[in-house]
Amino acid sequence: MNAAIIFILLLLLMLTGMPISISLGLTVLTFMFTMTSVPIESVALKLFTGIEKFEIMAIPFFILAGNFLTHGGVARRMINFATSMVGHFHGGLALAGVFACALFAAVSGSSPATVVAIGSIILPAMIKQGYPPRFGAGVITTSGALGILIPPSIVMVMYSVTTNTSVGQLFMAGVVPGLMLAFLLGLTTWFLAKKHNYPRMVKATWLERWVAFRRSAWGLLLIVIVMGGIYSGAFTPTEAAAMAAVYAFIISVFVYKDLKLKQVAKVLLDSAAMSAMLLYIITNAVLFSFLMTSENIPQGMADWISNQGLGVVGFLLVVNILLLIAGNFMEPSSIVLIMAPILFPVAMKLGIDPVHFGILIVVNMEVGMCHPPVGLNLYVASGITKMGISELTVAVMPWLFTMLGFLVLITYVPQISLWLPNLIYK
């Protein structure tokens, strides 16, 4: 009964158009003051202790690193390198967009940042070459979603904070699925480009490829620093995020010199605003989780789902449906922070690996970012392409179906996610 009241109250507040973070906070306070005897001090205490976790510090640092890279010419050099490698295939520039998104995802940790950085450069070039605007928008909107699957990933950090799963293992688990999805999106792009005979580029010589690689090497080196540093034990994922921010600042301002010192203040302010928004959501989600736990709702739901006799296959199917529905109304951070504490205990009870479960949730979040009405990538791509959301929704369909097929594969073949972390963390 209490669970129904809490969720109905949350839904009503969200339907008013209120931001998800405020809806969560108001739901908690309204329920606690009217239906429980929990002291007000515990709410204040939870607000402070909820985000008192070292891992959370990674979020503002990865956001800052992503913003420096977006404004610092790194994306353009990655696109040039990607174009030199795959530009001669059918739909070469579009394939280069997928490749560049995968590379940028490996240094930014954010899907919208990847769409902005790569899309704002490659979409005008594609249209100039004669690609239909819809095709270009579809490629970049969906490939940008790789930003939260290929490590480092802000969504993975949030899942880690919520469930106490190792960030390092989650990052490692995202490598193989991320590369596999990039390949499948590239395959879809190539197939459509060949079918419609879209333009190809002149094949680059090995010298041209080497020059493009050398120019993008400073940006690509960040992948080695972050991932190599974490897995060699040189620093934690949080320290890696701080290193990434400092390194991104140095190469953007002093090496590539595309970002002027006078622009740094704006990048810092934008990063602070985005970080504050996410941390505010996390704080209110922690409060919501506290309320749920105090009312024994996750445990009750875990018992109820277990008693339905769904088994692992049925439970994972229900999880995917729930998360895809949630993706229609909320953005990824909120979904992870609300749903993970409810679904995680059931997954553990059924013997599902926490790392595999985390990757499954992240892939669901990727799909959610590419379909309406709240798909963040759609809104970002809409701003770049000046296309309406309904037109973009039609444009992303072929790639969206590819992502849904990939989701089924990730759900029921856990070794795709677990092979690399098991190899390294044995």
Side-chain angles (χ1 to χ4, degrees), residues 56-402:
I56 288 179
M57 283 300 295
I59 294 169
F61 283 126
F62 277 133
I63 288 170
L64 182 58
N67 279 345
F68 275 133
L69 295 169
T70 304
H71 295 90
V74 175
R76 191 178 71 251
R77 288 168 176 84
M78 284 183 173
I79 289 169
N80 290 340
F81 171 56
T83 306
S84 72
M85 296 303 290
V86 297
H88 57 284
F89 292 109
H90 285 282
L93 200 55
L95 279 175
V98 178
F99 188 8
C101 281
L103 290 173
F104 197 81
V107 294
S108 72
S110 162
S111 284
T114 305
V115 175
V116 169
I118 305 299
S120 56
I121 299 166
I122 212 160
L123 280 173
M126 285 176 72
I127 291 163
K128 197 174 176 182
Q129 270 202 16
Y131 287 88
R134 273 189 178 188
F135 180 77
V139 171
I140 298 302
T141 303
T142 48
S143 300
L146 292 166
I148 60 169
L149 180 57
I150 295 176
S153 161
I154 291 168
V155 174
M156 285 184 194
V157 174
M158 290 191 166
Y159 174 81
S160 164
V161 167
T162 313
T163 61
N164 288 320
T165 307
S166 162
V167 187
Q169 287 194 38
L170 283 166
F171 279 6
M172 202 78 260
V175 173
V176 174
L179 294 175
M180 192 181 284
L181 181 57
F183 173 77
L184 291 172
L185 292 173
L187 196 63
T188 307
T189 304
W190 173 82
F191 175 78
L192 290 170
K194 191 175 183 185
K195 183 182 173 184
H196 298 290
N197 200 27
Y198 291 148
R200 301 167 74 166
M201 301 175 77
V202 178
K203 189 173 183 177
T205 64
W206 283 106
L207 178 63
E208 287 169 333
R209 288 173 177 177
W210 168 249
V211 170
F213 171 74
R214 204 179 64 206
R215 285 175 179 163
S216 64
W218 285 104
L220 297 172
L221 189 60
L222 184 54
I223 303 169
V224 180
I225 290 173
V226 172
M227 302 307 288
I230 292 170
Y231 300 116
S232 66
F235 35 72
T236 65
T238 306
E239 290 162 351
M243 287 287 292
V246 173
Y247 181 83
F249 166 73
I250 291 168
I251 61 167
S252 299
V253 176
F254 300 111
V255 179
Y256 290 151
K257 297 179 181 175
D258 284 8
L259 186 69
K260 307 297 176 210
L261 273 170
K262 61 183 179 184
Q263 296 172 292
V264 171
K266 186 181 184 306
V267 172
L268 290 169
L269 281 171
D270 288 349
S271 303
M274 195 183 292
S275 301
M277 179 191 75
L278 280 176
L279 290 171
Y280 187 60
I281 292 171
I282 291 169
T283 306
N284 283 291
V286 165
L287 261 187
F288 188 76
S289 182
F290 167 66
L291 172 64
M292 301 279 281
T293 309
S294 70
E295 294 296 312
N296 281 323
I297 292 167
Q299 298 88 325
M301 289 185 80
D303 291 338
W304 182 80
I305 292 171
S306 300
N307 293 336
Q308 299 309 301
L310 288 172
V312 174
V313 174
F315 169 70
L316 290 177
L317 179 64
V318 169
V319 167
N320 282 333
I321 293 167
L322 275 175
L323 292 175
L324 290 172
I325 291 169
N328 286 302
F329 308 104
M330 295 185 278
E331 45 82 45
S333 309
S334 307
I335 298 172
V336 171
L337 292 163
I338 294 169
M339 302 295 278
I342 298 167
L343 299 170
F344 187 77
V346 192
M348 295 307 97
K349 205 169 181 180
L350 290 170
I352 297 164
D353 189 283
V355 174
H356 168 231
F357 195 63
I359 298 300
L360 181 149
I361 288 178
V362 171
V363 175
N364 269 290
M365 299 305 97
E366 281 193 299
V367 176
M369 294 185 98
C370 301
H371 68 71
V374 187
L376 273 179
N377 284 11
L378 285 178
Y379 286 96
V380 173
S382 174
I384 297 169
T385 59
K386 305 292 183 282
M387 288 166 69
I389 296 297
S390 54
E391 193 179 357
L392 266 173
T393 303
V394 175
V396 300
M397 278 304 162
W399 294 273
L400 197 58
F401 285 128
T402 302

